[in-house]
């Protein structure tokens, strides 16, 4: 048993895997009852010793898929879910860099429990914090038109993350971390969240560096589409938006709220390129005019050279994990071109540019590869370019390891970097099946953790026996390729970027 005295009271954790571990620490009051849909309320000081030897409940979410690359066991869930976990070499008052992880899962699934910070602790003498936050309708649904004071409700999950960062600022020193050297990082929905925190004036000073993985952060402003979506959710719950909308939402069971994750029977989806549209919203963050005042890239550019150092990147074939978005049809060229042009782009030119990206790919495969850019890479390019042009330090990376798992068609799919970064096992002593056979678990994983940890320590990524990593600029666009053999390449897939950005 390991005991720590914090400003909030005594915390009892455990020593395991070469680190001191504190699990399930409450950072905010239970967001239930009248606090449902409201901003988080910081936890109060407790009496006695807080038992931090077990994870807290994960946020309510649908059960995980039974198979596929992101399959996993069910997690204990509850609306009372605002917990975090701390992994530290020693709660000795040392001032170590803090790595603050925000999980992904499309704003509807995931938790901090899947990420064991002990591997970073053992290798790099850093402190790791992983968190839960509200998701789905409880974390990312606009209800500001129903009740005063909830104009930022579409970003309640981001408010939770800020509350957890405030807890870290006030308490992490007791665990051996440095509150003046916090690096936020996250992937997918967590990468978007990381970028949003970079773009939120209210979060300034709570972190000092950021690592953005695969963000889908081409956000739209809160508007009529959000109101219509929420009102339709109320109707699906059996309520009337005009007379009892908020009462319906506050009184709904978790099971009823989770049923809203499924397709709306009155609004069937159509194949497309996953572009955010004002009239077609779901449970996801938005520009609310307060917490997030404008597009993130604009805020980054506005800050100029005073912006926090950043690393940013993703995976080269991310769209393959979301292939169903373009539909299941075996498209002809004319059919693919028609879909692209319905989305407002030059269909013939898009197919040609993705022929260069993947020679011999079918029209449907080219649409799937395009999702990589519409969903993730274009967002990342906007932020990287804004930071570089503003004079803020920034480094770019791309995971290009192509797994042969699941028939090999996923290639370097979405989240492919995570098994390496977090040293995920298969539960039987082997490596994550997602990474496929022959995966460079030790070489790539070790290098990634070194780059991430050194960046957290001093603001520049470096790793022993690895290539020097030059900063990113819009002149040469140098990117570190994460693969069996890591290397730097200038202008990776530049023809694709030029198609979307026109330069």
């Amino acid at each position: 048993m390991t005991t720590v005295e914090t400003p909030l009271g005594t915390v009892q954790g455990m020593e395991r895997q070469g680190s001191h571990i504190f699990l399930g620490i409450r950072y905010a009051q239970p967001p239930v009852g009248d606090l449902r849909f409201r901003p988080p309320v910081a936890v109060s000081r407790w009496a006695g010793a807080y038992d931090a030897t077990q994870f807290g409940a994960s946020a309510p979410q649908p059960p995980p898929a039974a198979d596929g690359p992101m399959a996993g066991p069910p997690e204990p869930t509850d609306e009372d879910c605002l917990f975090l976990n701390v992994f530290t070499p020693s709660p000795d008052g040392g001032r170590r860099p803090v790595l603050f992880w925000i999980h992904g899962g499309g704003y509807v699934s995931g938790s901090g429990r899947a990420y064991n910070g002990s591997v970073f602790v053992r290798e790099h003498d850093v402190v790791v914090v992983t968190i839960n936050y509200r998701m789905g309708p409880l974390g990312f649904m606009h209800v500001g038109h129903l009740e005063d004071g909830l104009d930022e409700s579409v970003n309640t999950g981001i408010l939770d993350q800020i509350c957890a960062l405030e807890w870290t600022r006030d308490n992490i020193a007791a665990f051996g971390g440095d509150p003046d050297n916090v690096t936020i990082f996250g992937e997918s929905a967590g990468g978007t969240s990381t970028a949003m925190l970079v773009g939120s004036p209210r979060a300034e000073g709570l972190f000092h560096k950021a690592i953005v993985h695969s963000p889908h952060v081409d956000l739209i402003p809160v508007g009529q589409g959000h109101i219509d979506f929420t009102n339709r959710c109320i109707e699906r719950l059996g309520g009337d938006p005009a007379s009892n909308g908020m009462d319906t939402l506050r009184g709904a069971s978790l099971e009823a709220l989770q049923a809203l994750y499924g397709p709306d029977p009155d609004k069937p989806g159509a194949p497309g390129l996953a572009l955010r549209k004002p009239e077609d919203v779901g449970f996801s963050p938005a520009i609310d005019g307060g917490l997030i005042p404008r597009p993130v890239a604009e805020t980054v550019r506005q800050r100029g050279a005073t912006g926090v150092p950043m690393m940013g990147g993703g995976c080269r074939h991310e769209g393959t994990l979301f292939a169903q978005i373009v539909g299941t049809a075996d498209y002809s060229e004319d059919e693919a071109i028609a879909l692209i042009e319905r989305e407002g782009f030059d269909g013939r030119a898009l197919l040609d540019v993705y022929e260069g990206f993947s020679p011999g790919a079918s029209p449907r495969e080219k649409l799937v590869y395009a999702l990589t850019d519409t969903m993730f890479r274009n967002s990342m390019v906007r932020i990287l370019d804004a930071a570089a042009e503003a004079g803020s330090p920034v480094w770019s990376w791309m995971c290009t390891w192509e797994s042969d798992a699941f028939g090999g068609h996923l290639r370097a799919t979405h989240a492919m970097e995570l098994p390496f970064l977090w040293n995920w096992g298969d539960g039987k002593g082997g490596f994550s099946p997602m990474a496929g056979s022959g995966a460079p678990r030790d070489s790539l994983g070790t290098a990634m953790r070194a780059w991430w940890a050194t960046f957290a320590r001093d603001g520049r990524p470096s790793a022993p026996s690895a290539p020097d990593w030059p900063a990113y600029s819009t002149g040469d666009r140098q990117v570190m390729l994460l693969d069996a053999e890591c290397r730097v390449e200038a202008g990776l897939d530049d023809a694709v970027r030029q198609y979307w950005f026109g330069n």
Side-chain angles (χ1 to χ4, degrees):
M1 190 74 70
T2 300
T3 300
V4 175
E5 297 297 332
T6 79
L8 290 169
T10 303
V11 182
Q12 289 184 336
M14 55 190 168
E15 188 172 0
R16 184 186 296 170
Q17 298 177 318
S19 65
H20 296 262
I21 301 173
F22 302 85
L23 305 176
I25 302 175
R26 185 183 298 279
Y27 67 83
Q29 295 180 20
V32 300
D34 290 343
L35 293 182
R36 181 183 272 191
F37 300 109
R38 299 202 67 83
V41 178
V43 69
S44 301
R45 183 176 174 84
W46 54 76
Y50 189 107
D51 181 1
T53 59
Q54 298 183 65
F55 287 110
S58 303
Q61 56 194 277
D67 54 15
M70 303 303 289
E75 299 183 2
T77 62
D78 194 277
E79 192 167 355
D80 180 9
C81 62
L82 299 184
F83 301 98
L84 56 76
N85 315 296
V86 179
F87 304 81
T88 179
S90 178
D92 56 7
R95 295 180 69 85
R96 299 174 178 86
V98 178
L99 285 156
F100 181 99
W101 176 256
I102 306 170
H103 70 80
Y107 317 104
V108 297
S109 65
S111 75
R113 72 168 59 211
Y115 305 90
N116 187 339
S118 295
V119 64
F120 277 100
V121 168
R122 289 194 303 269
E123 294 176 1
H124 295 290
D125 194 38
V126 295
V127 174
V128 176
V129 177
T130 70
I131 69 167
N132 299 345
Y133 54 93
R134 281 173 283 182
M135 302 182 294
L138 298 174
F140 294 99
M141 183 166 69
H142 172 70
V143 295
H145 64 295
L146 300 172
E147 184 172 300
D148 290 342
L150 297 180
D151 291 344
E152 298 170 352
S153 55
V154 72
N155 296 319
T156 298
I158 307 300
L159 291 170
D160 291 343
Q161 296 162 16
I162 291 175
C163 186
L165 279 167
E166 291 170 339
W167 183 98
T168 301
R169 175 197 61 199
D170 297 339
N171 295 278
I172 204 65
F175 296 87
D178 184 354
D180 296 320
N181 190 8
V182 175
T183 297
I184 55 173
F185 68 138
E187 183 268 344
S188 193
T192 304
S193 298
T194 301
M196 292 180 70
L197 291 169
V198 170
S200 175
R202 205 174 305 168
E204 287 189 40
L206 294 174
F207 62 92
H208 312 90
K209 305 176 190 73
I211 307 174
V212 181
H213 297 232
S214 304
H216 188 15
V217 73
D218 291 338
L219 305 176
I220 58 175
V222 171
Q224 189 61 45
H226 291 86
I227 294 172
D228 293 343
F229 174 72
T230 299
N231 289 349
R232 176 58 186 150
C233 287
I234 293 167
E235 292 170 350
R236 292 175 68 186
L237 292 168
D240 178 4
S243 61
N244 61 10
M246 207 63 205
D247 288 339
T248 298
L249 291 172
R250 285 220 169 92
S253 69
L254 292 180
E255 292 75 18
L257 290 174
Q258 288 180 25
L260 299 175
Y261 295 178
D264 184 342
D266 287 353
K267 192 176 181 182
L273 294 178
L275 302 167
R276 293 192 188 275
K277 300 176 182 177
E279 72 279 5
D280 186 18
V281 303
F283 301 127
S284 61
I287 298 169
D288 57 34
L291 184 72
I292 310 297
R294 62 185 67 84
V296 171
E298 289 185 15
T299 298
V300 169
R301 193 180 304 276
Q302 187 179 65
R303 287 198 182 109
T306 64
V308 299
M310 284 192 290
M311 292 167 54
C315 301
R316 198 171 183 219
H317 308 98
E318 306 211 50
T320 58
L321 196 63
F322 307 93
Q324 74 281 0
I325 290 175
V326 304
T328 58
D330 186 12
Y331 289 88
S332 67
E333 281 203 348
D334 287 344
E335 290 168 335
I337 288 171
L339 182 152
I340 296 161
E341 294 188 345
R342 285 197 300 271
E343 297 281 53
F345 299 98
D346 185 330
R348 178 74 267 167
L350 184 147
L351 293 186
D352 288 346
V353 79
Y354 284 97
E355 177 65 24
F357 174 83
S358 185
S362 70
R364 183 175 186 275
E365 287 171 330
K366 291 173 183 177
L367 294 176
V368 170
Y369 293 141
L371 293 177
T372 296
D373 299 287
T374 59
M375 293 181 71
F376 303 108
R377 185 150 53 167
N378 290 350
S379 286
M380 192 73 259
V381 168
R382 289 185 181 92
I383 295 171
L384 291 169
D385 284 5
E389 291 169 358
S392 181
V394 62
W395 287 263
S396 174
W397 54 270
M398 179 68 68
C399 180
T400 55
W401 168 254
E402 297 193 23
S403 172
D404 60 5
F406 304 98
H409 68 278
L410 294 177
R411 305 186 71 181
T413 195
H414 186 64
M416 185 57 71
E417 83 278 17
L418 295 186
F420 299 99
L421 183 66
W422 291 98
N423 198 33
W424 279 346
D426 63 357
K428 305 171 185 176
F431 195 38
S432 168
M434 178 181 178
S437 61
R441 175 180 189 172
D442 294 332
S443 60
L444 179 54
T446 300
M448 287 182 67
R449 289 187 294 277
W451 277 318
W452 270 235
T454 56
F455 177 77
R457 190 174 303 280
D458 57 28
R460 181 179 180 86
S462 63
S465 304
D468 181 59
W469 190 342
Y472 176 87
S473 72
T474 55
D476 52 27
R477 301 184 182 277
Q478 297 203 75
V479 55
M480 178 64 75
L481 305 187
L482 305 178
D483 213 317
E485 292 187 12
C486 298
R487 62 184 178 86
V488 174
E489 182 171 325
L492 175 71
D493 299 330
D494 216 35
V496 173
R497 181 192 61 80
Q498 289 171 356
Y499 171 84
W500 294 109
F501 289 88
N503 56 44

